[in-house]
Amino acid sequence: MTQMRLAVMGAAGRMGRNLIRAVHDIDGTIVAGGTEPAGAEAIGQDLGTLAGLGELGVSVTDDPLELFTKVDGILDFTSPAATTFFAGLAAQARIVHVIGTTGLTDDDETKLDAAARHATIIRAGNMSLGVNLLTALTERVAKALGEDFDIEIVEMHHRQKVDAPSGTALMLGEAAAKGRDISLKERSVLSREGHTGARPQGDIGFAALRGGSVVGEHSVIFAGESERIELTHRAEDRSIFARGAVRAALWGREKGPGLYSMADVLGL
């Protein structure tokens, strides 16, 4: 099979550069393009130079419409507005769209569902193997322990992260809620302040910490009477997310249109 031609959305950002390096390094894929918004300083620059690889002969563009006709898939860790726009273009082009964007609203989700009728969309709050294993474990532990154990999810990221809780934290919360057979929207507690009263049994709490250059840390705490279980994942380098995204794209090349997750990719 020919190499899969992949384009990186938001190519000049930290994650974008990691994605370029991952595509370049992984067998079966080739860097075929990248985008930045109109007027961005990186427009016209070589993608390889941006990522510290040396020239690859492929430049950053601000025209995704033309680019999408030339590639087999796109890797997208941008913003909700950009991601839903790209999803529509991916649907028109019938290509693979790997999404690592967080902070999506219910309306955004509806747009992705519509695009998935024609595009192969693989979306996850976190693309790492370790986090997806943590998610599977969280569901199993939540189901096994029941409501006698309180669930708290604590996450920490670098100071530049703009959304909270993180997409990964919410993914873990959904897994815990599924294990308990409850609705996360109805039972989540996203913040606490003032005189809150006793903790209601069965709620799933979240705490978001921001500071420094932390790539990502997530802990799911099951707190019972006189005992506590903690499941933790610490990301030390963004390359783990980039490699997972490329792996997802290669997996999606063999699939038809639809909305998939990393659990599907990893067979979890």
Side-chain angles (χ1 to χ4, degrees), residues 148-166:
D148 288 341
F149 282 73
D150 301 320
I151 300 176
E152 294 287 322
I153 298 172
V154 181
E155 54 101 342
M156 184 170 185
H157 286 82
H158 54 89
R159 63 169 65 94
Q160 302 298 331
K161 188 167 178 61
V162 298
D163 60 306
S166 69

Side-chain angles (χ1 to χ4, degrees), residues 82-102:
T83 290
T84 53
F85 173 68
F86 293 144
L89 296 183
Q92 293 177 35
R94 305 296 202 270
I95 60 175
V96 176
H97 185 182
V98 178
I99 300 173
T101 304
T102 59

Side-chain angles (χ1 to χ4, degrees), residues 5-267:
R5 299 165 297 173
L6 294 176
V8 177
M9 308 295 100
R14 285 185 298 181
M15 192 63 212
R17 296 174 197 227
N18 273 284
L19 289 165
I20 294 169
R21 288 191 286 269
V23 174
H24 180 264
D25 291 344
I26 292 175
D27 290 340
T29 61
I30 186 171
V31 179
T35 66
E36 278 289 314
E41 184 178 346
I43 299 299
Q45 294 187 35
D46 187 274
L47 288 160
T49 302
L50 276 176
L53 300 170
E55 289 192 8
L56 296 177
V58 185
S59 300
V60 179
T61 181
D62 61 0
D63 185 2
L65 184 60
E66 179 184 4
L67 177 62
F68 281 35
T69 65
K70 302 176 181 178
V71 300
D72 303 307
I74 62 169
L75 308 177
D76 175 11
F77 287 65
T78 56
S79 68
T83 290
T84 53
F85 173 68
F86 293 144
L89 296 183
Q92 293 177 35
R94 305 296 202 270
I95 60 175
V96 176
H97 185 182
V98 178
I99 300 173
T101 304
T102 59
L104 296 166
T105 66
D106 289 343
D107 183 56
D108 296 329
E109 300 278 5
T110 299
K111 292 176 181 177
L112 294 185
D113 287 340
R117 290 197 288 267
H118 302 290
T120 303
I121 296 180
I122 304 161
R123 185 202 161 206
N126 194 299
M127 295 284 175
S128 85
L129 172 61
V131 162
N132 282 279
L133 288 172
L134 174 62
T135 302
L137 287 171
T138 296
E139 180 181 342
R140 292 189 64 181
V141 174
K143 182 176 182 179
L145 294 180
E147 290 193 353
D148 288 341
F149 282 73
D150 301 320
I151 300 176
E152 294 287 322
I153 298 172
V154 181
E155 54 101 342
M156 184 170 185
H157 286 82
H158 54 89
R159 63 169 65 94
Q160 302 298 331
K161 188 167 178 61
V162 298
D163 60 306
S166 69
T168 301
L170 293 172
M171 184 170 72
L172 293 168
E174 289 287 359
K178 184 177 180 181
R180 291 272 174 91
D181 196 24
I182 60 175
S183 166
L184 182 65
K185 287 185 179 180
E186 295 176 0
R187 302 305 300 272
S188 61
V189 179
L190 301 180
S191 64
R192 298 185 178 99
E193 183 179 4
H195 187 76
T196 61
R199 187 190 198 282
Q201 187 178 38
D203 281 355
I204 299 174
F206 291 84
L209 311 179
R210 297 289 178 266
S213 59
V214 177
V215 174
E217 295 186 7
H218 295 86
S219 293
V220 184
I221 302 168
F222 296 88
E225 292 296 326
S226 305
E227 60 180 332
R228 186 168 70 245
I229 299 167
E230 297 185 17
L231 305 175
T232 298
H233 177 272
R234 295 183 178 92
E236 298 177 351
D237 193 296
R238 286 179 180 79
S239 64
I240 64 173
F241 311 131
R243 291 196 300 270
V246 176
R247 179 173 177 175
L250 285 166
W251 179 88
R253 191 180 192 183
E254 303 301 317
K255 300 295 180 289
L259 187 59
Y260 304 94
S261 70
M262 280 300 288
D264 297 315
V265 175
L266 299 172

